[in-house]
Amino acid sequence: MQFIDLEAQYLHLKEKIDARIHKVLDHGQYIMGPEVKELEEKLAEYVGVKHAITCANGTDALTLAMMVLGIKKGDAVFCPTFTFFATAETIAYEEATPVFVDSDESTFNICPIDLEKRIQKVIAEGKLTPKAIISVDLFGLPANYPELERIAKKYDLKLIEDAAQGFGGTLNGQVAGSFGDIATTSFFPAKPLGCYGDGGAIFTNNDEYAALLRSYCVHGKGTDKYDNVRIGMNSRLDTIQAAILLEKLAEFPQELIARQKVADKYEAELKGQFETPQVPDGYTSSWAQYTVCCDNRELEMQKYQEKGIPTMVYYRTCMHQQTAFTYLGYTSKDFPIAEYLAKRVFSLPMHPYLK
């Protein structure tokens, strides 16, 4: 059994994906070919925003968002501690300070109550300038954006949605990737919508942000590509990956239905045995992971291993516990819910082709 069965997905879409790849090989426009523009248009339509700008990977997508918002040294950017390293890494890369926030125990996402306390503390200390919030749609479930948007507006902060895991999820009918001032996603192969390499995208309704993003992605180019008007980076989605994603995106709605059926089956079988993931009213999850909580995690994972069923832990170490962020001076008492989750969660196989 595969934890995520990309081979089964490929076999299902093989004829269409192969045809797309061969079309790129025929026209030879491997960088910024027509499939890239086509994908951006279809991504924007799917998410429901004006602009979708593709890039080289999900980490670059977050970095580009930081650049567009002018995040810099002396700024505080608030983000969850229970998430993947890239969320905080991109903040530090801009020489800003990540301010970690505890988790909501039931959804695992950033806790709005703790977030507001952290913002108030930074303001009271007066050492950093509160600038932005990065929220992560963990394991497929969008965060509590009504509350996050209220808080962002109250304290005049920009809101960035990291929808890499939540892509395909919804909140009150609004699709992940459409929340906040800017949203990002990753097309890493294991994501709900993934390519066969690295890839990413940024979403926004802001015309100015979109223009800046397109410039920053290609070395800060101006209207003349040989006149670079700002310092940018080299972050473009390969045409072949765009071609693959076009076929995967077309199949994506059906895959989300299949993922939900797997999650429903897990819930029916495992409720009472573990703390199973709950989806609040008004939400849908894209089920990037099916993550349960329990005591004696290692023992339970061993039982699955003995049956040939792979399991994974996301995430065993919180951001505030990472060696790279020890300089921030957090202690084990600062994030009780996140540390509680990190000691108890593990994930079971989840993909649309799970029998």
Side-chain angles (χ1 to χ4, degrees):
M1 177 181 287
Q2 300 295 317
F3 188 76
I4 298 172
D5 197 340
L6 295 174
E7 182 181 2
Q9 183 193 47
Y10 172 63
L11 291 175
H12 178 68
L13 297 172
K14 185 179 187 304
E15 186 175 335
K16 293 178 180 179
I17 288 175
D18 288 357
R20 279 281 190 177
I21 291 173
H22 280 288
K23 186 176 180 181
V24 176
L25 295 174
D26 287 339
H27 67 56
Q29 298 177 55
Y30 302 115
I31 304 296
M32 304 300 285
E35 286 80 2
V36 174
K37 183 179 180 182
E38 182 184 354
L39 177 66
E40 289 180 342
E41 290 173 350
K42 289 187 176 179
L43 285 170
E45 180 182 5
Y46 178 83
V47 171
V49 295
K50 289 178 68 177
H51 305 284
I53 298 94
T54 54
C55 60
N57 55 69
T59 303
D60 279 5
L62 284 168
T63 297
L64 287 159
M66 298 287 102
M67 294 167 72
V68 165
L69 296 177
I71 305 298
K72 61 186 185 303
K73 187 174 183 179
D75 290 338
V77 180
F78 303 86
C79 71
T81 186
F82 186 62
T83 186
F84 181 62
F85 188 72
T87 306
E89 178 185 33
T90 56
I91 299 167
Y93 191 76
E94 300 303 313
E95 299 188 338
T97 300
V99 178
F100 296 123
V101 180
D102 210 352
S103 304
D104 180 283
E105 188 172 3
S106 61
T107 67
F108 306 160
N109 280 323
I110 191 170
C111 174
I113 296 172
D114 191 57
L115 170 63
E116 190 156 17
K117 290 178 181 177
R118 305 276 172 179
I119 294 170
Q120 291 171 348
K121 183 180 179 182
V122 168
I123 292 171
E125 289 175 346
K127 296 178 182 178
L128 298 170
T129 301
K131 194 68 175 286
I133 303 162
I134 300 180
S135 178
V136 180
D137 300 337
L138 207 61
F139 304 150
L141 185 70
N144 186 351
Y145 287 104
E147 272 300 290
L148 295 176
E149 289 171 349
R150 179 191 67 81
I151 292 169
K153 184 177 180 180
K154 179 178 179 180
Y155 295 97
D156 193 25
L157 302 175
K158 298 297 184 181
L159 178 58
I160 302 163
E161 178 192 6
D162 181 348
Q165 293 183 38
F167 194 83
T170 65
L171 169 54
N172 296 329
Q174 189 173 341
V175 178
S178 64
F179 297 99
D181 297 280
I182 294 181
T184 68
T185 196
S186 166
F187 298 127
F188 185 79
K191 293 295 188 289
L193 179 65
C195 56
Y196 292 155
D198 272 319
I202 312 101
F203 305 95
T204 186
N205 286 312
N206 187 303
D207 295 341
E208 181 182 352
Y209 290 171
L212 282 171
L213 286 164
R214 295 195 182 280
S215 173
Y216 280 130
C217 279
V218 189
H219 303 289
K221 71 179 181 68
T223 52
D224 179 350
K225 78 173 187 175
Y226 294 109
D227 179 21
N228 300 294
V229 298
R230 54 184 61 87
I231 303 299
M233 58 195 297
N234 179 23
S235 187
R236 299 169 298 199
L237 182 69
D238 291 345
T239 307
I240 286 178
Q241 300 299 346
I244 293 164
L245 283 165
L246 280 165
E247 292 305 327
K248 287 197 175 189
L249 181 60
E251 187 71 13
F252 192 54
Q254 294 303 312
E255 290 189 343
L256 290 174
I257 293 171
R259 285 176 178 270
Q260 184 60 55
K261 289 180 179 178
V262 174
D264 291 342
K265 180 67 171 176
Y266 273 138
E267 173 68 12
E269 296 288 339
L270 299 179
K271 187 176 183 180
Q273 182 179 348
F274 301 120
E275 295 173 32
T276 53
Q278 300 301 305
V279 178
D281 290 342
Y283 290 74
T284 66
S285 176
S286 59
W287 299 109
Q289 306 291 346
Y290 189 88
T291 302
V292 299
C293 275
C294 69
D295 298 321
N296 302 316
R297 173 176 64 194
E298 304 307 322
L299 177 61
E300 296 295 339
M301 291 175 68
Q302 179 65 30
K303 291 178 183 177
Y304 279 99
Q305 184 178 348
E306 290 170 358
K307 296 178 181 180
I309 300 170
T311 59
M312 299 285 286
V313 176
Y314 302 100
Y315 296 93
R316 197 180 293 269
T317 307
C318 297
M319 288 299 97
H320 69 278
Q321 299 170 313
Q322 302 272 350
T323 302
F325 291 121
T326 54
Y327 73 94
L328 295 172
Y330 290 109
T331 71
S332 60
K333 297 179 181 179
D334 290 324
F335 307 95
I337 302 301
E339 290 202 20
Y340 174 80
L341 294 173
K343 292 174 182 176
R344 300 178 77 246
V345 299
F346 73 95
S347 301
L348 292 164
M350 170 55 77
H351 58 83
Y353 303 93
L354 192 61
K355 301 297 183 184

